[in-house]
């Protein structure tokens, strides 16, 4: 019998699921704010197919606040900066906040630390919208540090507080904590890492080690999906990252008897289902079992 084994953690995480359902409700007119156009500030999630579906429902992606004339604006799960939020308020548009509560927590910690006189170390990718949103909530005049070198070079700082981008690895956070402890008299750590990413990586790599070929689904523009594919490939060389069922390499799937399937946090269930259907199609005529990993 041939087998398709699905990672239980494949697909939307809590924050993305929540953001998508808020967007759906907004498109259906079920929440506050009356009528008018609906925009999302940046693509709601890193999955072109899901964004396209939302556009069909009337949710238009805009690049910046200046492009918004009125109506409703959905704030995506990464959050937005304080300046962007103030600009939206000044425009009088209805803000539908789909910021992931874990990101909001990180913003709140950063703000509280700065109000209590701590320099703030933000562990993460400084160009990522989530990190920009966290930094924007730090009180003006507070020293903000985002690299290990900046910790080593810091002067006149006695106490520092640490927050992390929600998708950072624990190891990376610990490197910053260690460096900060060597440098400052007082260090306060707020562990703002979300477990969803790490649990998905753990389950997917374990699954990759038990199957002949591993399919990783998700947007090519999703850093987390690319990373997921990378670490699965370290375990299983027949790891293939695709965005849709149409891209499934039938020749590879045809030559194996077990295929694992996982998906990044912004991959909708219908894409996972379509890939499973496509694998069944390639294996037409064989007995096929579909199950979840463990
Ligand atoms: Fe939120 Fe964690 Fe997803 S921070 S958006 S639940 S990966």
């Amino acid at each position: 019998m041939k087998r398709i084994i699905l990672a239980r953690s494949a697909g939307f995480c809590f924050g993305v699921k929540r953001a998508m359902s808020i967007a759906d409700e907004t498109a259906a007119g079920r929440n506050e704010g009356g009528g008018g156009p609906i925009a999302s500030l940046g693509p709601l999630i890193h999955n072109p197919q899901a964004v396209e579906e939302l556009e069909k429902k009337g949710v238009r992606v805009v690049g910046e606040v200046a492009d918004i004339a009125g109506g409703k604006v959905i704030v995506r799960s990464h959050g937005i900066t304080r300046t962007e939020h103030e600009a939206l308020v000044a425009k009088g548009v209805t803000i539908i906040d789909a910021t992931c509560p874990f990101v909001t927590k990180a913003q709140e910690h950063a703000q509280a630390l700065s109000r209590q006189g701590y320099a703030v170390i933000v562990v993460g990718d400084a160009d990522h919208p989530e990190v920009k949103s966290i930094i924007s909530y730090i009180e003006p005049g507070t020293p903000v540090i985002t690299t290990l070198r900046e910790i080593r070079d810091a002067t006149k700082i006695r106490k520092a507080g640490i927050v992390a981008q929600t998708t950072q690895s624990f190891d990376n956070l610990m490197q910053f904590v260690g460096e900060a402890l060597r440098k400052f008299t007082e260090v306060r750590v707020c562990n703002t890492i979300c477990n969803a990413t790490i649990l998905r990586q753990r389950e997917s790599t374990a699954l990759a080690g038990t199957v002949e070929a591993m399919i990783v689904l998700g947007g090519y523009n999703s850093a987390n999906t690319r990373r997921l594919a990378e670490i699965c490939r370290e375990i299983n060389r027949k790891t293939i990252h695709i965005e849709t069922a149409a891209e499934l390499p039938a020749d590879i799937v045809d030559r194996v008897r077990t295929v694992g399937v996982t998906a990044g946090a912004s991959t909708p269930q219908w894409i996972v289902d379509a890939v499973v259907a496509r694998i069944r199609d390639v294996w037409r005529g064989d007995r096929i079992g579909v199950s979840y990993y463990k």
Side-chain angles (χ1 to χ4, degrees):
M1 178 158 53
K2 294 192 168 182
R3 291 195 181 282
I4 302 169
I5 307 174
L6 296 155
R8 285 186 192 276
S9 56
F12 287 173
C13 62
F14 155 76
V16 169
K17 210 179 275 174
R18 180 176 170 274
M20 288 299 281
S21 92
I22 290 174
D24 277 338
E25 279 179 16
T26 308
R30 284 197 294 269
N31 55 17
E32 79 263 37
I38 304 168
S40 79
L41 200 47
L44 196 71
I45 62 174
H46 284 148
N47 185 280
Q49 292 73 31
V51 170
E52 212 177 290
E53 286 303 306
L54 280 173
E55 273 182 2
K56 284 185 203 154
K57 293 178 188 169
V59 180
R60 190 172 61 97
V61 178
V62 296
E64 40 195 298
V65 176
D67 301 331
I68 296 166
K72 298 177 184 175
V73 179
I74 305 170
V75 173
R76 57 188 176 167
S77 53
H78 302 316
I80 52 173
T81 65
R82 184 150 66 168
T83 316
E84 286 170 324
H85 189 269
E86 284 164 4
L88 289 174
V89 171
K91 273 181 182 253
V93 296
T94 303
I95 301 170
I96 311 284
D97 191 2
T99 307
C100 176
F102 297 133
V103 174
T104 307
K105 219 33 254 129
Q107 294 168 343
E108 286 169 358
H109 279 306
Q111 185 170 54
L113 287 166
S114 63
R115 287 187 175 162
Q116 291 158 22
Y118 290 88
V120 182
I121 299 171
V122 183
V123 182
D125 169 4
D127 291 327
H128 194 282
E130 180 190 326
V131 173
K132 288 183 181 167
S133 85
I134 293 170
I135 290 176
S136 74
Y137 282 88
I138 297 170
E139 293 300 334
T142 305
V144 178
I145 293 172
T146 57
T147 65
L148 291 168
R149 169 168 280 275
E150 284 169 352
I151 297 179
R152 287 179 213 124
D153 294 347
T155 53
K156 296 183 193 151
I157 295 174
R158 201 184 59 77
K159 53 182 201 173
I162 303 182
V163 295
Q165 182 180 358
T166 51
T167 48
Q168 283 295 295
S169 72
F170 191 69
D171 289 349
N172 199 30
L173 172 61
M174 285 310 287
Q175 245 191 309
F176 277 75
V177 172
E179 205 65 47
L181 284 171
R182 273 188 279 275
K183 181 80 185 185
F184 308 118
T185 322
E186 185 188 336
V187 177
R188 228 181 117 190
V189 185
C190 303
N191 182 359
T192 51
I193 291 175
C194 159
N195 274 344
T197 308
I198 198 77
L199 290 177
R200 179 189 317 267
Q201 291 181 348
R202 241 182 245 156
E203 190 198 11
S204 300
T205 48
L207 172 58
T210 66
V211 291
E212 289 176 69
M214 184 74 192
I215 308 292
V216 179
L217 292 167
Y220 298 126
N221 60 345
S222 157
N224 282 311
T225 308
R226 289 202 306 269
R227 175 84 190 120
L228 193 60
E230 215 174 275
I231 60 172
C232 285
R233 198 165 292 119
E234 283 166 15
I235 308 287
N236 185 328
R237 288 171 55 107
K238 271 198 198 116
T239 292
I240 305 136
H241 176 186
I242 54 174
E243 263 188 11
T244 64
E247 296 169 1
L248 187 86
D251 53 334
I252 296 177
V253 171
D254 204 20
R255 285 199 296 269
V256 298
R257 301 190 63 79
T258 51
V259 171
V261 178
T262 189
S266 43
T267 310
Q269 187 59 39
W270 59 265
I271 291 188
V272 179
D273 294 342
V275 166
V276 171
R278 178 80 186 103
I279 299 172
R280 280 179 171 281
D281 198 36
V282 173
W283 285 347
R284 220 177 18 243
D286 289 303
R287 276 185 65 217
I288 303 167
V290 182
S291 58
Y292 280 102
Y293 183 58
K294 289 195 175 154

